[in-house]
């Protein structure tokens, strides 16, 4: 029916572009609008519709098969999920179209709402472009190297060829040997093994690449896979050592022990290790454990939130099956994980996703567990190195023992062994001492480095040296003054001793001598007072020097503070100037962006006007063709009734129809050029309307081969003709005339306004 063929929206994935083209009559890229509160109300509807789309296996299969006809590199991308799209799908496409057009603003300002939308499910037709936007895989330099990488030879090609058939063996696109799906999967895996030779190829990564190839061309899938390996911890998971996988198992086991202690004790009692059932969850993001629609929904969240969703979903699965698992032994639990749990999710992923976000997940605790695991592994590595060294020494000793046993008597060999043991003990002691000394030296080096970091810079050191020189000079002056004082004190002591000697026999001397002694006493007193005055003077000078030193130190500190203040002021001025420049650049960028948006709007309007003119002209030409076809049929009938030759009349009609066809082809070529992307990688697709207001996508290519559908409803207002009418040669016309003679009647339907008209001969 015509109402089922016409679709209100159209999405087209191209292999030559790094972004997916999008168009919708209700969605105008030239007039972006932010996500309004009304859009949030669509979440519940989106969840229900996504569940219906993903459980409809037939529509999913049609979706995957339809894209292979359009492009050899676009593996699984559909033109529509169902022939009859509801209003709910229109709303979801409008919402996601706005998000794609305003991706940068939505990612920065409305990250929480974006996460909620992703958790509720990305529509199938938007997955390719949204996955690329989520992981920033657009315009990667490695995309230009892809074709060159395919020409090279990889050492992993045999392994990749061997495992290709094991990747999605039951999927329609990959199950046939040497099919297109297996070939492009081989290309992507080979290219990555050449880009990252340390990782090379790991079997679990092929399932992730296969899922990407179901959504986008191989070049874009390669770029997304490279981004996942680099930024989503997958590269560490797929390294030959698989150290990251061990860390994930350690963290996941801790979460089980903390939140499901009874189940953890049961696992321990049965020696049921976490890696026995959960390693594939982390390596393939549930792609080998769950049904493909469920795993795809989980992969949507993984692209947005990373490995956290694997921890959450894994613990939710264990919570849902805790009662059954506790009652099973090891083999029963393995069978339960392989056969029972996947069928529990056949109804859809909504239940398990809802349970996953009820799980407690502490990012800080996970970081702490990562440090603990790293410490444990470091100790294990040290122990392994020590064991390896001891084994090497033991092997060497055994070789020496064997050599000595061959050369000498047994008694000499025993002595040699004892001597070697003593040497080994001494060597061990020396090694321990050297290690202790090395550790002490390392500690000293660390202390010295810390002290060096606390020391001032070169300019401050020079100033401090100048201050130190000044202090030393003052100290030398003070020492010189002290020596002089000491000499004076010695002189005074000598005078004092002589004075005592004189005063001891003063009562025996004559009066004249007593007078001289008194004068000497006065002189001694004067000298003592002079010494006291000099000592006070020296003390005053010393205090003055100390005050001058303190003054100089304070002045130097003040000068340094002023210099630092000037430096800070200069930095503030520089930063202010830079801020002004950046603000000016930002204003220029905003202005240029506004100009670009205006130009893009004008281009879009011009393109739409041209397309509308082309559609109107095409409709007129088609009407003329239909009239000429009717005239041709009437002419043929008239010729048969009048027994006259109408070949010349039919030939003229054919010429006119050929000219009109040529004009339609020209118009189609102009319309095809107008349909090319004009801005932002968004493909503008035209629609033409019938009398009922519905829209016909230009992807249908209008009227194909000038042959319209015979069974369309009359409400569409279309002209319905028999296919390939008027395309036969004159001989074929004669054959048709002979066949028409055998037929009882000829009927031609022309419903121009919803009513059928028929002409019967």
């Amino acid at each position: 029916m015509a109402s089922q063929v016409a679709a209100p929206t159209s999405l087209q994935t191209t292999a030559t572009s790094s972004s997916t083209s999008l168009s919708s009559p209700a969605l105008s890229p030239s007039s972006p609008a932010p996500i309004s509160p009304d859009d949030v109300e669509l979440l519940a509807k989106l969840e229900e519709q996504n569940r219906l789309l993903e459980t409809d296996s037939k529509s999913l299969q049609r979706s995957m098969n339809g894209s292979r006809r359009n492009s050899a590199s676009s593996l699984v991308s559909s033109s529509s999920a169902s022939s009859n799209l509801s209003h709910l799908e229109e709303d979801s496409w409008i919402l996601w179209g706005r998000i794609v057009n305003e991706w940068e603003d939505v990612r920065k300002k409305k990250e929480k709402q974006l996460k909620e939308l992703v958790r509720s499910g990305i529509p199938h037709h938007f997955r390719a472009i949204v996955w690329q936007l989520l992981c920033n895989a657009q315009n990667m330099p490695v995309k230009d190297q892809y074709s060159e990488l395919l020409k090279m030879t990889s050492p992993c090609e045999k392994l990749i060829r061997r495992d290709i058939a094991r990747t999605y063996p039951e999927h329609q696109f990959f199950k046939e040997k040497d099919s297109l799906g297996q070939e492009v999967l081989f290309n992507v895996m080979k290219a990555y093994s050449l880009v990252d030779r340390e990782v090379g190829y790991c079997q679990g990564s092929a399932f992730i690449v296969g899922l990407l190839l179901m959504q986008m061309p191989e070049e874009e899938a390669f770029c997304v896979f490279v981004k996942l390996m680099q930024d989503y911890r997958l590269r560490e998971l797929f390294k030959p050592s698989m150290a990251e996988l061990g860390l994930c198992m350690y963290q996941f086991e801790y979460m089980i022990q903390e939140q499901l202690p009874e189940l953890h004790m049961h696992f321990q009692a049965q020696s049921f290790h976490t890696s026995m059932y959960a390693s594939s969850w982390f390596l393939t993001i549930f792609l080998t454990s769950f049904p493909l629609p469920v795993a795809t929904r989980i992969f949507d969240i993984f692209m947005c939130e990373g490995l956290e969703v694997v921890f959450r979903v894994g613990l939710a699965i264990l919570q849902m099956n805790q009662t059954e698992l506790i009652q099973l032994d090891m083999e029963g639990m393995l069978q339960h994980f392989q056969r029972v749990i996947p069928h529990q999710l056949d109804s859809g992923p909504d239940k398990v996703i809802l349970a996953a976000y009820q799980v407690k997940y502490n990012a800080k605790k996970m970081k702490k567990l990562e440090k603990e695991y790293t410490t444990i592994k470091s100790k294990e590595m040290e122990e392994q190195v020590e064991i390896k060294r001891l084994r090497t020494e033991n092997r060497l000793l055994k070789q020496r023992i064997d050599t000595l046993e061959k050369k000498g008597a047994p008694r000499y060999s025993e002595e040699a062994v004892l001597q070697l043991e003593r040497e080994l003990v001494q060597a061990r002691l020396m090694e321990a001492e050297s290690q202790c000394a090395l550790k002490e030296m390392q500690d000293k080096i660390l202390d010295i480095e810390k002290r060096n970091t606390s020391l001032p810079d070169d300019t401050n050191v020079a100033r401090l040296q100048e201050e130190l020189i000044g202090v030393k000079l003052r100290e030398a002056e003070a020492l010189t003054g002290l020596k002089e004082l000491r000499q004076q004190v010695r002189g005074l002591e000598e005078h004092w001793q002589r004075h005592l000697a004189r005063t001891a026999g003063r009562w025996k001397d004559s009066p004249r001598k007593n007078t001289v002694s008194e004068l000497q006493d006065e002189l001694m007193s004067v000298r003592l007072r002079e010494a006291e005055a000099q000592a006070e003077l020296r003390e005053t000078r010393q205090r003055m020097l100390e005050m001058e030193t303190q003054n100089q130190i304070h002045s130097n500190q003040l000068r340094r503070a002023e210099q630092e203040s000037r430096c800070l002021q200069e930095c503030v001025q520089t930063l202010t100037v830079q801020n002004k420049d950046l603000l000016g650049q930002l204003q220029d960028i905003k202005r240029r962006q506004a100009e670009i948006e205006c130009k893009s709007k004008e281009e879009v309007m011009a393109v739409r006007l041209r397309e509308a003119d082309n559609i109107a002209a095409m409709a007129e030409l088609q009407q003329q063709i239909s009239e000429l076809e009717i005239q041709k049929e009437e002419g043929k009938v008239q010729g048969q009734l009048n027994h006259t030759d109408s070949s010349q009349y039919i030939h003229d009609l054919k010429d006119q129809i050929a000219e009109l066809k040529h004009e339609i082809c020209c118009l189609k070529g102009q319309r095809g050029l107008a349909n090319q992307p004009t801005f932002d990688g968004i493909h503008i697709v035209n629609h033409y309307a019938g009398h009922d207001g519905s829209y016909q996508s230009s992807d249908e290519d209008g009227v194909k081969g000038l042959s319209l559908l015979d069974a369309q409803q009359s409400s569409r207002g279309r002209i319905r003709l028999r296919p390939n009418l008027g395309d036969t040669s004159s001989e074929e016309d004669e054959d048709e005339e002979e066949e028409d003679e055998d037929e009882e009647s000829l009927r031609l339907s022309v419903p121009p306004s919803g009513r059928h008209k028929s002409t019967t001969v």
Side-chain angles (χ1 to χ4, degrees):
M1 298 299 291
S3 60
Q4 294 177 341
V5 174
T9 53
S10 176
L11 184 78
Q12 183 180 7
T13 303
T14 59
T16 58
S17 176
S18 62
S19 62
T20 302
S21 301
L22 173 68
S23 70
S24 173
L27 173 63
S28 177
S30 62
S31 58
I35 299 177
S36 62
D38 296 336
D39 297 331
V40 180
E41 298 177 357
L42 298 174
L43 287 176
K45 299 180 180 179
L46 288 173
E47 292 177 0
E48 180 182 358
Q49 186 62 26
N50 286 327
R51 181 177 61 80
L52 293 174
L53 288 174
E54 289 170 356
T55 53
D56 187 3
S57 59
K58 294 183 179 179
S59 63
L60 183 62
Q61 186 174 1
R62 288 198 301 271
S63 167
M64 291 184 293
N65 293 335
S67 176
R68 271 180 271 167
R69 302 190 187 96
N70 295 333
S71 174
S73 60
S74 178
L75 301 182
V76 182
S77 177
S78 166
S79 63
S80 66
S82 178
S83 60
N84 188 13
L85 295 178
S86 64
H87 293 288
L88 182 60
E89 288 179 299
E90 295 183 31
D91 294 338
S92 66
W93 282 29
I94 292 170
L95 178 59
W96 278 101
R98 290 177 182 171
I99 292 173
V100 170
N101 289 335
E102 305 169 12
W103 180 257
E104 295 298 331
D105 294 337
V106 173
R107 189 69 183 269
K108 292 178 181 178
K109 300 178 182 178
K110 299 185 179 181
E111 185 177 1
K112 186 176 180 181
Q113 293 88 333
L114 179 62
K115 284 184 178 180
E116 292 294 332
L117 281 172
V118 173
R119 290 173 187 174
S120 64
I122 302 173
H124 176 71
H125 305 85
F126 284 90
R127 277 203 175 102
I129 187 170
V130 173
W131 283 2
Q132 294 178 57
L133 293 171
L134 284 171
C135 65
N136 294 322
Q138 292 178 315
N139 301 323
M140 289 182 64
V142 73
K143 185 176 181 180
D144 300 330
Q145 305 172 7
Y146 182 74
S147 58
E148 298 297 328
L149 292 172
L150 296 182
K151 300 177 183 177
M152 300 169 64
T153 302
S154 172
C156 304
E157 288 187 10
K158 291 184 179 180
L159 293 175
I160 298 172
R161 286 290 185 191
R162 184 192 65 188
D163 293 337
I164 284 294
R166 305 177 188 176
T167 305
Y168 297 110
E170 299 179 357
H171 197 279
Q172 184 68 27
F173 192 64
F174 297 101
K175 69 179 182 180
E176 297 179 4
K177 186 178 180 181
D178 298 330
S179 62
L180 179 62
Q182 291 190 2
E183 189 64 28
V184 294
L185 180 59
F186 172 79
N187 290 342
V188 176
M189 299 309 303
K190 171 187 171 182
Y192 185 79
S193 66
L194 292 169
V195 170
D196 190 353
R197 295 183 181 271
E198 181 182 1
V199 174
Y201 166 71
C202 187
Q203 184 178 2
S205 60
F207 288 93
I208 297 175
V209 174
L211 179 65
L212 296 176
L213 289 172
M214 294 178 193
Q215 312 296 331
M216 61 190 74
E218 56 181 298
E219 295 89 349
E220 297 175 3
F222 173 68
C223 295
V224 173
F225 183 64
V226 171
K227 205 68 176 177
L228 291 178
M229 295 291 281
Q230 293 176 353
D231 299 344
Y232 286 74
R233 297 171 59 185
L234 293 185
R235 185 175 184 274
E236 302 298 326
L237 283 174
F238 290 120
K239 276 186 177 180
S241 62
M242 288 191 172
E244 191 72 13
L245 181 61
L247 171 61
C248 292
M249 295 297 102
Y250 182 77
Q251 293 171 331
F252 191 63
E253 187 173 357
Y254 175 83
M255 292 179 67
I256 298 172
Q257 182 179 1
E258 184 181 27
Q259 302 185 32
L260 302 173
E262 295 180 1
L263 186 61
H264 180 263
M265 291 176 63
H266 180 67
F267 284 168
Q268 295 292 325
Q270 295 291 331
S271 299
F272 192 61
H273 301 291
T274 310
S275 58
M276 296 175 68
Y277 62 91
S279 58
S280 62
W281 294 354
F282 287 89
L283 289 174
T284 63
I285 321 298
F286 300 104
L287 290 171
T288 57
S289 304
F290 293 171
L292 186 59
V294 178
T296 306
R297 279 283 301 278
I298 296 173
F299 202 85
D300 289 341
I301 306 173
F302 169 75
M303 294 292 293
C304 184
E305 302 180 21
L307 280 177
E308 176 184 341
V309 69
V310 182
F311 288 98
R312 289 183 176 274
V313 173
L315 203 63
I317 291 293
L318 294 180
Q319 286 178 350
M320 294 165 61
N321 295 271
Q322 181 178 4
T323 306
E324 293 83 358
L325 291 172
I326 289 177
Q327 299 174 0
L328 300 173
D329 58 359
M330 180 188 292
E331 294 182 0
M333 287 188 289
L334 284 174
Q335 294 292 330
H336 190 81
F337 276 104
Q338 293 174 1
R339 298 181 181 179
V340 179
I341 290 179
H343 292 293
Q344 292 178 351
L345 303 174
D346 289 339
S347 60
D350 295 332
K351 182 179 179 181
V352 69
I353 291 175
L354 183 62
Y357 282 93
Q358 302 298 324
V359 172
K360 295 179 181 179
Y361 182 87
N362 190 343
K364 293 183 179 179
K365 186 63 179 178
M366 301 298 275
K367 287 288 185 183
K368 185 177 179 182
L369 291 173
E370 182 177 356
K371 292 181 181 178
E372 291 179 2
Y373 181 79
T374 305
T375 305
I376 293 171
K377 283 298 177 182
S378 300
K379 290 181 180 178
E380 290 180 358
M381 290 295 295
E382 292 175 359
E383 291 176 358
Q384 290 178 0
V385 170
E386 182 66 18
I387 291 171
K388 188 175 180 180
R389 186 180 64 81
L390 292 174
R391 287 177 178 173
T392 304
E393 291 179 357
N394 190 15
R395 181 172 53 82
L396 294 174
L397 288 173
K398 285 182 179 180
Q399 290 177 358
R400 291 187 65 180
I401 290 169
D402 295 338
T403 304
L404 291 172
E405 286 179 352
K406 291 178 182 178
K407 289 182 179 180
R411 58 189 181 89
Y412 295 113
S413 62
E414 293 177 359
E415 293 177 358
V417 170
L418 294 174
Q419 180 66 25
L420 288 173
E421 289 179 352
R422 286 193 292 270
E423 291 178 0
L424 180 60
V425 171
Q426 291 178 359
R428 295 272 179 83
L429 291 173
M430 292 177 64
E431 184 182 0
E433 291 176 357
S434 62
Q435 287 181 354
C436 293
L438 180 63
K439 190 174 182 180
E440 291 178 358
M441 294 300 295
Q442 289 176 351
D443 294 337
K444 288 182 180 179
I445 289 171
L446 291 174
D447 293 337
I448 292 171
E449 288 178 352
K450 290 180 180 179
R451 292 176 183 175
N452 289 336
T453 54
S454 62
L455 291 175
D457 54 3
D458 296 338
T459 57
N460 292 333
V461 169
R463 293 170 183 170
L464 292 174
Q465 287 177 351
E466 293 177 358
E467 294 178 3
L468 181 61
I469 291 170
V471 171
K472 287 183 177 180
L473 290 174
R474 297 187 190 94
E475 184 180 0
E477 292 178 359
L479 291 173
T480 304
L482 182 60
K483 289 179 180 179
E484 292 177 357
L485 286 174
R486 286 176 179 173
Q487 291 177 0
Q488 290 179 2
V489 169
R490 292 194 196 98
L492 288 173
E493 287 179 352
E494 292 175 358
H495 286 296
W496 180 251
Q497 294 295 333
R498 288 196 296 270
H499 175 68
L500 292 176
R502 286 194 299 271
T503 54
R506 184 180 296 176
W507 59 277
K508 297 179 180 180
D509 294 338
S510 59
R512 185 177 178 181
K513 290 183 177 180
N514 291 333
T515 305
V516 174
S517 297
E518 290 176 357
L519 291 172
Q520 290 177 349
D521 292 339
E522 291 179 358
L523 180 60
M524 188 65 191
S525 300
V526 170
R527 287 180 176 176
L528 288 173
R529 287 194 295 272
E530 182 182 0
E532 290 177 357
Q534 288 179 354
E536 291 178 357
L537 179 61
R538 295 290 181 184
E539 186 178 358
T540 303
R541 287 180 179 176
Q542 186 66 26
R543 290 179 180 174
M544 194 168 86
L545 287 173
E546 291 177 357
M547 295 297 291
E548 288 178 354
T549 302
Q550 292 180 358
N551 186 17
Q552 188 172 2
I553 291 171
H554 290 318
S555 62
N556 289 334
Q557 291 178 352
L558 183 62
R559 186 173 62 254
R560 286 195 294 271
E562 290 177 353
Q563 290 178 355
E564 291 177 357
S565 177
R566 285 196 296 272
C567 291
L568 291 174
Q569 289 178 356
E570 291 176 357
C571 291
V572 170
Q573 292 177 357
T574 304
L575 291 174
T576 304
V577 173
Q578 292 179 357
N579 191 15
K580 290 181 180 178
D581 295 339
L582 291 174
L583 288 174
Q585 294 177 5
L586 180 61
Q587 292 177 356
D588 293 338
I589 291 171
K590 288 182 177 179
R591 179 178 52 77
R592 289 196 296 270
Q593 184 179 5
E595 293 176 356
I596 291 170
E597 289 180 353
C598 292
K599 290 180 181 179
S600 64
K601 291 178 181 179
E602 293 175 357
E603 291 175 357
V604 170
M605 294 301 297
V607 167
R608 289 186 175 178
L609 290 173
R610 288 197 298 271
E611 291 178 352
D613 295 339
N614 291 337
I615 290 169
M618 190 190 308
E620 293 177 359
L621 292 174
Q622 288 171 354
Q623 184 66 28
Q624 294 177 10
I625 287 172
S626 63
E627 293 176 357
L628 291 174
E629 293 286 352
I630 294 169
Q631 293 177 8
K632 177 181 177 181
E633 291 296 328
E634 291 178 352
K636 290 169 67 177
V637 172
Q638 291 288 338
Q640 289 179 359
L641 293 176
N642 298 329
H643 300 283
T644 58
D645 187 7
S646 60
S647 60
Q648 182 64 32
Y649 179 72
I650 293 173
H651 184 68
D652 295 338
L653 290 177
K654 285 182 180 179
D655 292 339
Q656 294 179 10
I657 290 171
E659 292 177 0
L660 293 174
K661 284 182 180 178
H662 180 67
E663 292 181 6
I664 289 175
C665 291
C666 294
L667 290 174
K668 282 187 178 180
Q670 295 177 2
R671 187 163 63 90
L673 293 175
N675 284 339
Q676 294 180 355
T678 56
F679 70 101
D680 293 340
I682 302 299
H683 182 63
I684 304 300
V685 181
N686 291 304
H687 304 80
Y688 57 88
H691 291 293
D692 59 350
S694 61
Y695 290 85
Q696 172 65 40
S697 172
S698 65
D699 291 341
E700 305 288 339
D701 290 332
V703 180
K704 298 181 179 179
L706 298 177
S707 299
L708 301 178
L709 298 175
D710 290 329
Q712 291 179 336
Q713 291 180 349
S714 60
S715 61
R716 303 297 297 165
R718 303 286 178 82
I719 299 170
R720 294 154 179 85
L721 298 173
R722 293 294 181 183
N724 300 325
L725 190 61
D727 293 336
T728 57
S729 62
S730 60
E731 295 177 359
E732 293 173 349
D733 289 338
E734 294 175 359
D735 294 337
E736 286 182 357
E737 291 175 1
E738 293 176 358
E739 292 174 0
D740 290 337
E741 290 176 358
D742 296 334
E743 295 176 355
E744 294 180 359
S745 62
L746 175 65
R747 184 177 297 274
L748 179 65
S749 299
V750 184
S753 61
R755 293 177 300 171
H756 290 279
K757 294 182 179 180
S758 61
T759 302
T760 304
V761 179

